[in-house]
Amino acid sequence: MHILVVDDEADVQPLFQQRFRKEIRSGEVDFTFALSGEEALAYMAQNKSKIILILSDINMPGMSGIELLHSIRHDYNSPPPVVMMVTAYNDQDNYEQAMKEGANDFLTKPLDFAILKEKLKTVAE
Amino acid sequence: MKKYLLISLCLVYSFILVAKDSATNGRLDTIPEKGVVLDNKWRYSTEDNPAFAKPNFDDSTWDTLNPLNPASDLFPLQKASYGWLRFHFSISEKLSQQTWLLVLRQTCASEVYLDGKLLVRNGTLGNQPKDVVPLGANLPPIALHVKDTSKHVLAVRFGLPPNPIFPNGTFVGPFLHAKIMGVPQYYEQTRTMVQNSSIYASLIAIFFLLSLMHLSFYRHNPAQKANLYFAAYSLTMMVGFFLVELLSFVQDIRWFVYADAGAYVFTLSGGVWIVCALSFLFKYINLNLIRFLWVVQFGLILTVLLSKWHIYPFLAAIVLPTVVQLWLTAKALKAKKRGAAIIAAGFGVSLVFVFLIILLAVVQILLTQQLWVTLFLFVIFLSPALGISIYLAREFALDSQLLKVKLIQVERLSSQNLAQQKEKQQILAHQNDELERQVAERTAQLHQSLQELKATQAQLIQSEKMASLGELSAGIAHEIQNPLNFVNNFSEVNVELLEEMEAVLQKGDTEDALALASDMKVNLRKINEHGKRADSIVKGMLLHSQTTSRQKEKIYINTLIEEYLRLSYQSFKTKDKTFQIDLTTQFYPDLPEIDTIPQYLGKVLLNLFNNAFYSVSEKKKTLKESYSPAVWVNTFKTQNGIQIRVKDNGVGIPQRVLDKIYQPFFTTKPSGQGTGLGLSLSYDIIKKGLGGELNVTSEEGEFAEFTIELPLMKVRQVEPVLVPTHE
């Protein structure tokens, strides 16, 4: 399963790589990291149907996660990837906005990787 | 008025009588009741010889004349300066029993001889004509002692003055008017004259009083010119009547003639004065008419005095002003002018008597009674004058009454005014007291309000802090959640790695264990880094809400700016996630450290950044797609410090509010959105707290740029900035 992680925090990359060490090693998942929405869209344009799942932070400089979601749902929606939004703001406003734009799920920071892995399993199935 | 005719009738009465008196034929058989005038049968000579006085002198060759004619007619060239007249007569038996009087009126000087004996000398004859003094009026009667029926001779030696007494002879009167009458008749005539005289005297007195009265009226009220003209009329009439009165005293015929002429001039000009008075009294002032009337009147008077036919111009001189007077009065009556009726009544009475006189004159009843004529005259004269006088006096009285009323009104008004003034003053005083009380009250209230305001202000500043804290909270939460995320997850990963490491170590695989250890070390560094990051965020947040005085510390400005810009931007993005701002930062490398209080400066920066973001977002709302928001944050090193510039291409600040933006509570944001304290606090912090400068340049609709100048040098210990000091 190919997962695209979008976050402006550079340390997200080593964190995911270490958290999913075993899954990466077994080839269950493989990650691509983008530091901004723009970067993510550029990557998706290159690798159309490769991506199954997108994990995106909402609050980023430049394009926000919500905007990215909007773009994905309008421009890169064939086949529709699973998009999960991750945010530090656990507020109703963000949640509703994300759902309205067609997010599949909504996770809050700090990330609980156990829950994340459970969710990934349901996506994989 | 026709009354003048009657004056004139008096004046020329004698002429009329002359016409009526029976003529003689040189023989007086009966003498009529009024006496007989010796009008013809006079023989005359222009030689001067004392022998002509003798009774037996033969004068049969002399011509005859009628001495009732004026001297100028009888002796046109005045050749005869001296001459003689002789009259032959005889009387009947019956008449010779009585005493007879010879009454003379003449325009010459004379010596009268009866049968050669000198009876009387009138005037001065002298030796030269220039010495002649003609006494000819009001002469005493001469007793004629004629006791027989034989012939008698009356001889008169006369002397004429060298020049004519008056240009018009007819006006002067007869050359010699000799009348023979009985004592009773003479007595009767004298009595009538005395009565007339007394009537004239009373007219003089009355007109004198009237003139005085109206002059004083005029003096007290010069606005009423009618009084002046009426006084002029009264004075004129008084002089006229005085001259008429003179006629019964003056003996010198020259004076007599002049007095007579004067009487005409004055009495006839009175009518025009009345016209003047009426014009001014009824306010029908036509100066041209009045001037015209004067000219015509004087023309007529001159004609009366200088022509032979003086009765017609005389009548005209009476009728003309009378017509004008009646016309004025009628006009006033028609216009229902106040008091016109009084004057009309005066004229009415006068006219009634004029008609009576004429009527009676026609039927020849009254004219034989001189006294009655004079009495009627008295009424005819006085009633219009009295009418006008009463009118004017009434006007004066009414004016006085009006003045009295006005005076009372004025007094009342002034007392009212005074009362009002007093009342006003009282009200004013009362109001002043009230005002003082209110001012004191208000001052107390204001003082209290000020206290409350100060408290509110402190509260507001506090809540502004809290508000900006609230604004930051979203940013802060995000900022903390991120490092927390790493701390939690990396530490969890490390636990897993440790477990793996234990397993690897048990196997004895050192290489793998070392690799794991190095991974763990990296992770631990990250944990530590993110922990510190969270710590600094929390510290900053705490600092931000602190209000206690702080020590300055050396800080890196660029770092501080970056931190706050990030905070502000994050917070701003939470409000509007779709918003894109082109952020450009240009920091002067190796900016010197400066002594400042970071949380104060941070507060200022936060304000400037928030404002910049707000401004560009406002502009975006109106310009939509055509506009790309941008914010520039630059730092510079200056000669004696550093400079921070925050610029945005937003809505800008209008010129008219540029000087207000640092005022506390001034905000351009919609109500409820801004406290209006941000910039005022910022200004105080920079100026007072940090000893720097805060400046702004802006162009409305284009950009706004705030510049903070901070000094390098050590500045004094600063006071806490709590309350804006603009008061």
mmCIF file with all atom_site columns, all heavy atoms in Angstrom, chain B residues 632-636 643-647 705-708:
data_model
loop_
_atom_site.group_PDB
_atom_site.id
_atom_site.type_symbol
_atom_site.label_atom_id
_atom_site.label_alt_id
_atom_site.label_comp_id
_atom_site.label_asym_id
_atom_site.label_entity_id
_atom_site.label_seq_id
_atom_site.pdbx_PDB_ins_code
_atom_site.Cartn_x
_atom_site.Cartn_y
_atom_site.Cartn_z
_atom_site.occupancy
_atom_site.B_iso_or_equiv
_atom_site.pdbx_formal_charge
_atom_site.auth_seq_id
_atom_site.auth_comp_id
_atom_site.auth_asym_id
_atom_site.auth_atom_id
_atom_site.pdbx_PDB_model_num
ATOM 1   N N   . TRP B 1 632 ? 5.975  41.881 4.044  1.00 0.00 ? 632 TRP B N   1
ATOM 2   C CA  . TRP B 1 632 ? 7.447  41.856 4.100  1.00 0.00 ? 632 TRP B CA  1
ATOM 3   C C   . TRP B 1 632 ? 7.892  42.192 5.512  1.00 0.00 ? 632 TRP B C   1
ATOM 4   O O   . TRP B 1 632 ? 7.407  43.165 6.095  1.00 0.00 ? 632 TRP B O   1
ATOM 5   C CB  . TRP B 1 632 ? 8.067  42.901 3.166  1.00 0.00 ? 632 TRP B CB  1
ATOM 6   C CG  . TRP B 1 632 ? 7.738  42.707 1.720  1.00 0.00 ? 632 TRP B CG  1
ATOM 7   C CD1 . TRP B 1 632 ? 8.516  42.069 0.791  1.00 0.00 ? 632 TRP B CD1 1
ATOM 8   C CD2 . TRP B 1 632 ? 6.585  43.187 1.029  1.00 0.00 ? 632 TRP B CD2 1
ATOM 9   N NE1 . TRP B 1 632 ? 7.919  42.094 -0.432 1.00 0.00 ? 632 TRP B NE1 1
ATOM 10  C CE2 . TRP B 1 632 ? 6.704  42.785 -0.329 1.00 0.00 ? 632 TRP B CE2 1
ATOM 11  C CE3 . TRP B 1 632 ? 5.436  43.874 1.395  1.00 0.00 ? 632 TRP B CE3 1
ATOM 12  C CZ2 . TRP B 1 632 ? 5.764  43.068 -1.304 1.00 0.00 ? 632 TRP B CZ2 1
ATOM 13  C CZ3 . TRP B 1 632 ? 4.483  44.165 0.430  1.00 0.00 ? 632 TRP B CZ3 1
ATOM 14  C CH2 . TRP B 1 632 ? 4.639  43.769 -0.917 1.00 0.00 ? 632 TRP B CH2 1
ATOM 15  N N   . VAL B 1 633 ? 8.792  41.386 6.056  1.00 0.00 ? 633 VAL B N   1
ATOM 16  C CA  . VAL B 1 633 ? 9.377  41.712 7.359  1.00 0.00 ? 633 VAL B CA  1
ATOM 17  C C   . VAL B 1 633 ? 10.889 41.788 7.179  1.00 0.00 ? 633 VAL B C   1
ATOM 18  O O   . VAL B 1 633 ? 11.517 40.799 6.769  1.00 0.00 ? 633 VAL B O   1
ATOM 19  C CB  . VAL B 1 633 ? 9.014  40.661 8.420  1.00 0.00 ? 633 VAL B CB  1
ATOM 20  C CG1 . VAL B 1 633 ? 9.589  41.070 9.771  1.00 0.00 ? 633 VAL B CG1 1
ATOM 21  C CG2 . VAL B 1 633 ? 7.497  40.507 8.508  1.00 0.00 ? 633 VAL B CG2 1
ATOM 22  N N   . ASN B 1 634 ? 11.469 42.957 7.434  1.00 0.00 ? 634 ASN B N   1
ATOM 23  C CA  . ASN B 1 634 ? 12.906 43.141 7.234  1.00 0.00 ? 634 ASN B CA  1
ATOM 24  C C   . ASN B 1 634 ? 13.560 43.700 8.492  1.00 0.00 ? 634 ASN B C   1
ATOM 25  O O   . ASN B 1 634 ? 12.930 44.461 9.228  1.00 0.00 ? 634 ASN B O   1
ATOM 26  C CB  . ASN B 1 634 ? 13.188 44.123 6.092  1.00 0.00 ? 634 ASN B CB  1
ATOM 27  C CG  . ASN B 1 634 ? 12.565 43.672 4.787  1.00 0.00 ? 634 ASN B CG  1
ATOM 28  O OD1 . ASN B 1 634 ? 12.355 42.485 4.584  1.00 0.00 ? 634 ASN B OD1 1
ATOM 29  N ND2 . ASN B 1 634 ? 12.283 44.615 3.910  1.00 0.00 ? 634 ASN B ND2 1
ATOM 30  N N   . THR B 1 635 ? 14.812 43.297 8.688  1.00 0.00 ? 635 THR B N   1
ATOM 31  C CA  . THR B 1 635 ? 15.575 43.940 9.768  1.00 0.00 ? 635 THR B CA  1
ATOM 32  C C   . THR B 1 635 ? 16.817 44.579 9.184  1.00 0.00 ? 635 THR B C   1
ATOM 33  O O   . THR B 1 635 ? 17.371 44.112 8.199  1.00 0.00 ? 635 THR B O   1
ATOM 34  C CB  . THR B 1 635 ? 15.992 42.937 10.879 1.00 0.00 ? 635 THR B CB  1
ATOM 35  O OG1 . THR B 1 635 ? 16.736 41.876 10.268 1.00 0.00 ? 635 THR B OG1 1
ATOM 36  C CG2 . THR B 1 635 ? 14.787 42.365 11.579 1.00 0.00 ? 635 THR B CG2 1
ATOM 37  N N   . PHE B 1 636 ? 17.235 45.675 9.814  1.00 0.00 ? 636 PHE B N   1
ATOM 38  C CA  . PHE B 1 636 ? 18.412 46.415 9.348  1.00 0.00 ? 636 PHE B CA  1
ATOM 39  C C   . PHE B 1 636 ? 19.244 46.800 10.548 1.00 0.00 ? 636 PHE B C   1
ATOM 40  O O   . PHE B 1 636 ? 18.720 46.970 11.645 1.00 0.00 ? 636 PHE B O   1
ATOM 41  C CB  . PHE B 1 636 ? 18.007 47.717 8.634  1.00 0.00 ? 636 PHE B CB  1
ATOM 42  C CG  . PHE B 1 636 ? 17.117 47.499 7.452  1.00 0.00 ? 636 PHE B CG  1
ATOM 43  C CD1 . PHE B 1 636 ? 15.729 47.504 7.591  1.00 0.00 ? 636 PHE B CD1 1
ATOM 44  C CD2 . PHE B 1 636 ? 17.667 47.308 6.179  1.00 0.00 ? 636 PHE B CD2 1
ATOM 45  C CE1 . PHE B 1 636 ? 14.909 47.315 6.500  1.00 0.00 ? 636 PHE B CE1 1
ATOM 46  C CE2 . PHE B 1 636 ? 16.836 47.113 5.087  1.00 0.00 ? 636 PHE B CE2 1
ATOM 47  C CZ  . PHE B 1 636 ? 15.464 47.119 5.238  1.00 0.00 ? 636 PHE B CZ  1
ATOM 48  N N   . GLN B 1 643 ? 16.661 48.271 13.221 1.00 0.00 ? 643 GLN B N   1
ATOM 49  C CA  . GLN B 1 643 ? 15.384 48.727 12.688 1.00 0.00 ? 643 GLN B CA  1
ATOM 50  C C   . GLN B 1 643 ? 14.603 47.496 12.224 1.00 0.00 ? 643 GLN B C   1
ATOM 51  O O   . GLN B 1 643 ? 15.173 46.609 11.580 1.00 0.00 ? 643 GLN B O   1
ATOM 52  C CB  . GLN B 1 643 ? 15.680 49.640 11.507 1.00 0.00 ? 643 GLN B CB  1
ATOM 53  C CG  . GLN B 1 643 ? 14.491 50.468 11.085 1.00 0.00 ? 643 GLN B CG  1
ATOM 54  C CD  . GLN B 1 643 ? 14.838 51.326 9.884  1.00 0.00 ? 643 GLN B CD  1
ATOM 55  O OE1 . GLN B 1 643 ? 15.042 50.791 8.799  1.00 0.00 ? 643 GLN B OE1 1
ATOM 56  N NE2 . GLN B 1 643 ? 14.924 52.626 10.077 1.00 0.00 ? 643 GLN B NE2 1
ATOM 57  N N   . ILE B 1 644 ? 13.352 47.444 12.573 1.00 0.00 ? 644 ILE B N   1
ATOM 58  C CA  . ILE B 1 644 ? 12.494 46.353 12.098 1.00 0.00 ? 644 ILE B CA  1
ATOM 59  C C   . ILE B 1 644 ? 11.396 46.990 11.256 1.00 0.00 ? 644 ILE B C   1
ATOM 60  O O   . ILE B 1 644 ? 10.742 47.943 11.704 1.00 0.00 ? 644 ILE B O   1
ATOM 61  C CB  . ILE B 1 644 ? 11.834 45.598 13.271 1.00 0.00 ? 644 ILE B CB  1
ATOM 62  C CG1 . ILE B 1 644 ? 12.909 45.136 14.260 1.00 0.00 ? 644 ILE B CG1 1
ATOM 63  C CG2 . ILE B 1 644 ? 11.012 44.426 12.760 1.00 0.00 ? 644 ILE B CG2 1
ATOM 64  C CD1 . ILE B 1 644 ? 12.375 44.776 15.629 1.00 0.00 ? 644 ILE B CD1 1
ATOM 65  N N   . ARG B 1 645 ? 11.225 46.447 10.059 1.00 0.00 ? 645 ARG B N   1
ATOM 66  C CA  . ARG B 1 645 ? 10.159 47.003 9.213  1.00 0.00 ? 645 ARG B CA  1
ATOM 67  C C   . ARG B 1 645 ? 9.142  45.929 8.890  1.00 0.00 ? 645 ARG B C   1
ATOM 68  O O   . ARG B 1 645 ? 9.490  44.834 8.470  1.00 0.00 ? 645 ARG B O   1
ATOM 69  C CB  . ARG B 1 645 ? 10.733 47.526 7.901  1.00 0.00 ? 645 ARG B CB  1
ATOM 70  C CG  . ARG B 1 645 ? 11.540 48.792 8.088  1.00 0.00 ? 645 ARG B CG  1
ATOM 71  C CD  . ARG B 1 645 ? 11.863 49.377 6.760  1.00 0.00 ? 645 ARG B CD  1
ATOM 72  N NE  . ARG B 1 645 ? 12.824 50.468 6.883  1.00 0.00 ? 645 ARG B NE  1
ATOM 73  C CZ  . ARG B 1 645 ? 13.363 51.061 5.839  1.00 0.00 ? 645 ARG B CZ  1
ATOM 74  N NH1 . ARG B 1 645 ? 13.057 50.655 4.616  1.00 0.00 ? 645 ARG B NH1 1
ATOM 75  N NH2 . ARG B 1 645 ? 14.221 52.037 6.004  1.00 0.00 ? 645 ARG B NH2 1
ATOM 76  N N   . VAL B 1 646 ? 7.894  46.289 9.091  1.00 0.00 ? 646 VAL B N   1
ATOM 77  C CA  . VAL B 1 646 ? 6.803  45.376 8.745  1.00 0.00 ? 646 VAL B CA  1
ATOM 78  C C   . VAL B 1 646 ? 5.950  46.082 7.707  1.00 0.00 ? 646 VAL B C   1
ATOM 79  O O   . VAL B 1 646 ? 5.356  47.130 7.975  1.00 0.00 ? 646 VAL B O   1
ATOM 80  C CB  . VAL B 1 646 ? 5.949  45.032 9.979  1.00 0.00 ? 646 VAL B CB  1
ATOM 81  C CG1 . VAL B 1 646 ? 4.823  44.074 9.597  1.00 0.00 ? 646 VAL B CG1 1
ATOM 82  C CG2 . VAL B 1 646 ? 6.827  44.423 11.059 1.00 0.00 ? 646 VAL B CG2 1
ATOM 83  N N   . LYS B 1 647 ? 5.904  45.521 6.513  1.00 0.00 ? 647 LYS B N   1
ATOM 84  C CA  . LYS B 1 647 ? 5.178  46.190 5.432  1.00 0.00 ? 647 LYS B CA  1
ATOM 85  C C   . LYS B 1 647 ? 4.142  45.234 4.853  1.00 0.00 ? 647 LYS B C   1
ATOM 86  O O   . LYS B 1 647 ? 4.386  44.026 4.754  1.00 0.00 ? 647 LYS B O   1
ATOM 87  C CB  . LYS B 1 647 ? 6.169  46.611 4.350  1.00 0.00 ? 647 LYS B CB  1
ATOM 88  C CG  . LYS B 1 647 ? 5.533  47.405 3.225  1.00 0.00 ? 647 LYS B CG  1
ATOM 89  C CD  . LYS B 1 647 ? 6.578  47.826 2.193  1.00 0.00 ? 647 LYS B CD  1
ATOM 90  C CE  . LYS B 1 647 ? 5.882  48.558 1.040  1.00 0.00 ? 647 LYS B CE  1
ATOM 91  N NZ  . LYS B 1 647 ? 6.853  48.937 0.002  1.00 0.00 ? 647 LYS B NZ  1
ATOM 92  N N   . GLU B 1 705 ? 3.454  50.664 6.165  1.00 0.00 ? 705 GLU B N   1
ATOM 93  C CA  . GLU B 1 705 ? 4.741  50.160 6.648  1.00 0.00 ? 705 GLU B CA  1
ATOM 94  C C   . GLU B 1 705 ? 5.029  50.738 8.021  1.00 0.00 ? 705 GLU B C   1
ATOM 95  O O   . GLU B 1 705 ? 5.082  51.940 8.192  1.00 0.00 ? 705 GLU B O   1
ATOM 96  C CB  . GLU B 1 705 ? 5.871  50.529 5.678  1.00 0.00 ? 705 GLU B CB  1
ATOM 97  C CG  . GLU B 1 705 ? 7.209  49.963 6.141  1.00 0.00 ? 705 GLU B CG  1
ATOM 98  C CD  . GLU B 1 705 ? 8.307  50.140 5.099  1.00 0.00 ? 705 GLU B CD  1
ATOM 99  O OE1 . GLU B 1 705 ? 8.265  51.154 4.364  1.00 0.00 ? 705 GLU B OE1 1
ATOM 100 O OE2 . GLU B 1 705 ? 9.188  49.281 5.025  1.00 0.00 ? 705 GLU B OE2 1
ATOM 101 N N   . PHE B 1 706 ? 5.194  49.827 8.990  1.00 0.00 ? 706 PHE B N   1
ATOM 102 C CA  . PHE B 1 706 ? 5.544  50.242 10.346 1.00 0.00 ? 706 PHE B CA  1
ATOM 103 C C   . PHE B 1 706 ? 7.024  50.010 10.563 1.00 0.00 ? 706 PHE B C   1
ATOM 104 O O   . PHE B 1 706 ? 7.548  48.971 10.144 1.00 0.00 ? 706 PHE B O   1
ATOM 105 C CB  . PHE B 1 706 ? 4.747  49.452 11.378 1.00 0.00 ? 706 PHE B CB  1
ATOM 106 C CG  . PHE B 1 706 ? 3.325  49.933 11.488 1.00 0.00 ? 706 PHE B CG  1
ATOM 107 C CD1 . PHE B 1 706 ? 2.352  49.459 10.635 1.00 0.00 ? 706 PHE B CD1 1
ATOM 108 C CD2 . PHE B 1 706 ? 2.969  50.871 12.459 1.00 0.00 ? 706 PHE B CD2 1
ATOM 109 C CE1 . PHE B 1 706 ? 1.051  49.915 10.726 1.00 0.00 ? 706 PHE B CE1 1
ATOM 110 C CE2 . PHE B 1 706 ? 1.674  51.318 12.568 1.00 0.00 ? 706 PHE B CE2 1
ATOM 111 C CZ  . PHE B 1 706 ? 0.700  50.851 11.703 1.00 0.00 ? 706 PHE B CZ  1
ATOM 112 N N   . THR B 1 707 ? 7.681  51.005 11.167 1.00 0.00 ? 707 THR B N   1
ATOM 113 C CA  . THR B 1 707 ? 9.113  50.884 11.413 1.00 0.00 ? 707 THR B CA  1
ATOM 114 C C   . THR B 1 707 ? 9.397  51.004 12.901 1.00 0.00 ? 707 THR B C   1
ATOM 115 O O   . THR B 1 707 ? 8.999  51.996 13.519 1.00 0.00 ? 707 THR B O   1
ATOM 116 C CB  . THR B 1 707 ? 9.880  51.980 10.660 1.00 0.00 ? 707 THR B CB  1
ATOM 117 O OG1 . THR B 1 707 ? 9.494  51.921 9.285  1.00 0.00 ? 707 THR B OG1 1
ATOM 118 C CG2 . THR B 1 707 ? 11.377 51.788 10.778 1.00 0.00 ? 707 THR B CG2 1
ATOM 119 N N   . ILE B 1 708 ? 10.040 49.980 13.464 1.00 0.00 ? 708 ILE B N   1
ATOM 120 C CA  . ILE B 1 708 ? 10.456 50.042 14.870 1.00 0.00 ? 708 ILE B CA  1
ATOM 121 C C   . ILE B 1 708 ? 11.947 50.336 14.905 1.00 0.00 ? 708 ILE B C   1
ATOM 122 O O   . ILE B 1 708 ? 12.728 49.664 14.235 1.00 0.00 ? 708 ILE B O   1
ATOM 123 C CB  . ILE B 1 708 ? 10.196 48.702 15.596 1.00 0.00 ? 708 ILE B CB  1
ATOM 124 C CG1 . ILE B 1 708 ? 8.708  48.315 15.505 1.00 0.00 ? 708 ILE B CG1 1
ATOM 125 C CG2 . ILE B 1 708 ? 10.635 48.782 17.052 1.00 0.00 ? 708 ILE B CG2 1
ATOM 126 C CD1 . ILE B 1 708 ? 8.432  46.896 15.964 1.00 0.00 ? 708 ILE B CD1 1
#
